[in-house]
Amino acid sequence: MPRIKPSPAIHYIQRFTPLLLCVLFCFLLSGCKDDKEATGGYPPAPVTVAKAELKNTPYYLTAIGTVKAVDTITVRSRVTGYLSRIFIDDGQYVTKGQQLFTMDPSPYEASIGQLKAELASDITKYEQAKKDYNRYRDLVRRKVVSEEDFEEKRLDMKTASDAIAVTKAKLTDAKNDLNYCFIRSPINGLAGYVTPTEGNLIEENKDELVVINKISPIAVNFYLPQKYLAEVQKYSANKTLEVLAITEGRDNPESGELTFIDNNVDTKTGTIWMQGRFANTDKALWPGNYVEIRLKLYDENVINIPMEATCTGPNGKFIWIAHSNNTVDMRPVTVDRRAGKVDIITDGLKDKESIVTDGQLRLYPGAAITIKGKTTNSTTPSAHAKNGE
């Protein structure tokens, strides 16, 4: 059988195959090396760092409170008549003694004039009755008139005297009614909506004219769980406890004092009613508003950190410690309480230690970091509270 001679192309491939396999192997080896460098050498993680602070920190109990006017007066007329003048606007601030309304005084002025005339007539009758009495007293001594006639004159004088007293009382009452026509504010406060308009018939002690709230000082009612009653009693025994009221939309809280603890725990809710009083000179607290209440019990030296630094893992709370060599380690901590933007740490952290507050998702123990911006301190101590809800 004849032998088949291989073609030149096949001969060429067979000759250079070992060389091609060698080049391919070197290329793959280089690629594996690059992949190893890419997976093993992670770039530094950008993070934000803050300093833990040991500081004198107030211990607060927190609750939601309702602002209440210290005095609320519903102004009504004490006489029936037509409303002739209104001297205030809706929502105006009024002072004690300021005139608010005027009822039509003409009927009461006429009544006073009539009673004055009646009083003059009664006085005249009395004077005449007195003269008759004195005259009959002499006559009865001389037995010119009978005892019965003298007694009748005495009774006439007594009746005339009583009529004067009755008319004087009516006159006093009419003068009071006239004074009631000029309605004045009994307190300093903020007037609400003026209900009637001029010309309306107003019934005495029935129709509401306006409500005035005394808002400086002002009170805030709030409720705490009964488990905190013993603490509040303990720390309020020898001093007046400070109360802070935080209003939405305002940066600075209003400072006041705890003035009232109810003598009974609500059996339905298990809470106890308390009240704080505030000067409210800038009128930041408004009746009916809901505010956050912080009742200060005492001060303590504790570690403060921003709440962003605290992380939660399978074993509880932990934080990332930033070292001077730009690496991090995980450390478990004990968080006593949180309120606002601050966590209070009672174990696991020291003063001035650097902690990571942002960028924790890319971290692992020993990871390299790069710090963004400047190292900051923790937030202000005004947020350090225990929830009393």
Side-chain angles (χ1 to χ4, degrees):
M1 185 175 181
R3 183 179 179 184
I4 300 174
K5 185 178 181 180
S7 66
I10 294 175
H11 179 73
Y12 180 82
I13 292 174
Q14 291 176 345
R15 182 179 179 183
F16 288 97
T17 295
L19 180 61
L20 291 174
L21 291 174
C22 182
V23 172
L24 179 60
F25 177 77
C26 292
F27 176 77
L28 293 175
L29 185 62
S30 176
C32 292
K33 182 178 180 181
D34 291 341
D35 290 342
K36 183 178 180 180
E37 290 177 354
T39 57
Y42 293 108
V47 297
T48 302
V49 174
K51 292 284 189 182
E53 285 188 277
L54 177 65
K55 59 171 64 175
N56 191 36
T57 305
Y59 180 93
Y60 291 116
L61 298 177
T62 65
I64 299 299
T66 306
V67 182
K68 178 183 180 296
V70 173
D71 291 323
T72 298
I73 303 295
T74 300
V75 179
R76 293 183 172 90
S77 175
R78 298 180 67 174
V79 293
T80 297
Y82 288 95
L83 183 62
S84 61
R85 290 278 314 266
I86 298 175
F87 293 92
I88 61 171
D89 298 322
D90 299 331
Q92 179 179 332
Y93 190 84
V94 297
T95 57
K96 184 176 181 179
Q98 178 179 340
Q99 188 165 353
L100 308 177
F101 307 95
T102 295
M103 304 291 292
D104 181 13
S106 56
Y108 301 98
E109 292 172 343
S111 177
I112 289 175
Q114 179 181 350
L115 289 171
K116 285 182 176 179
E118 290 180 8
L119 180 61
S121 176
D122 291 339
I123 291 174
T124 300
K125 291 178 181 178
Y126 171 76
E127 290 176 349
Q128 182 60 45
K130 187 176 182 180
K131 290 179 181 179
D132 291 343
Y133 169 77
N134 290 331
R135 184 164 56 87
Y136 268 68
R137 183 176 56 184
D138 292 336
L139 293 175
V140 76
R141 288 174 181 172
R142 290 183 290 168
K143 301 187 182 298
V144 176
V145 297
S146 64
E147 290 285 345
E148 290 78 6
D149 291 338
F150 172 70
E151 182 64 19
E152 182 178 351
K153 295 301 179 181
R154 189 187 69 80
L155 291 176
D156 288 345
M157 184 182 70
K158 180 68 168 58
T159 301
S161 176
D162 292 342
I164 291 175
V166 170
T167 304
K168 283 183 176 180
K170 289 181 179 180
L171 182 60
T172 299
D173 192 46
K175 289 180 178 179
N176 288 336
D177 287 343
L178 180 61
N179 288 332
Y180 296 152
C181 289
F182 307 98
I183 302 171
R184 302 179 184 277
S185 174
I187 59 172
N188 297 328
L190 191 68
Y193 183 76
V194 179
T195 306
T197 55
E198 293 180 357
N200 278 285
L201 178 63
I202 306 298
E203 292 189 44
E204 64 176 293
N205 298 322
K206 180 180 179 181
D207 294 325
E208 179 181 308
L209 301 179
V210 71
V211 176
I212 301 175
N213 285 327
K214 186 175 183 179
I215 61 174
S216 181
I218 203 166
V220 177
N221 293 327
F222 60 96
Y223 294 82
L224 288 177
Q226 61 181 4
K227 65 180 180 180
Y228 295 121
L229 177 58
E231 282 188 279
V232 174
Q233 290 175 325
K234 174 184 176 181
Y235 291 103
S236 63
N238 299 318
K239 66 176 182 178
T240 302
L241 297 183
E242 181 186 13
V243 183
L244 299 181
I246 302 172
T247 306
E248 186 176 4
R250 288 183 175 265
D251 296 330
N252 298 321
E254 296 292 317
S255 179
E257 296 180 343
L258 181 66
T259 56
F260 172 74
I261 302 174
D262 197 13
N263 60 359
N264 183 59
V265 174
D266 190 327
T267 56
K268 294 181 180 179
T269 63
T271 58
I272 186 165
W273 170 33
M274 300 184 188
Q275 187 179 92
R277 185 162 294 196
F278 301 79
N280 201 32
T281 53
D282 59 353
K283 301 177 179 60
L285 301 177
W286 211 252
N289 268 6
Y290 290 103
V291 296
E292 180 185 349
I293 288 295
R294 294 177 181 173
L295 176 62
K296 179 181 174 182
L297 298 185
Y298 56 86
D299 293 312
E300 58 179 345
N301 286 321
V302 287
I303 297 292
N304 295 244
I305 66 170
M307 71 175 189
E308 296 86 358
T310 306
C311 303
T312 303
N315 298 322
K317 304 291 184 181
F318 68 94
I319 50 95
W320 290 100
I321 298 292
H323 299 297
S324 58
N325 62 351
N326 286 339
T327 61
V328 294
D329 279 317
M330 181 189 299
R331 184 184 296 176
V333 293
T334 301
V335 179
D336 180 67
R337 60 190 184 272
R338 170 184 289 181
K341 299 180 179 180
V342 173
D343 281 348
I344 305 302
I345 307 299
T346 55
D347 187 45
L349 196 58
K350 297 180 180 179
D351 187 30
K352 304 301 182 183
E353 285 192 291
S354 296
I355 54 176
V356 176
T357 58
D358 183 52
Q360 294 98 323
L361 292 178
R362 298 182 59 181
L363 301 181
Y364 57 89
I369 60 171
T370 178
I371 299 176
K372 300 184 296 183
K374 296 181 179 180
T375 301
T376 60
N377 290 328
S378 59
T379 55
T380 59
S382 62
H384 306 160
K386 175 167 284 190
N387 191 348
E389 294 298 327

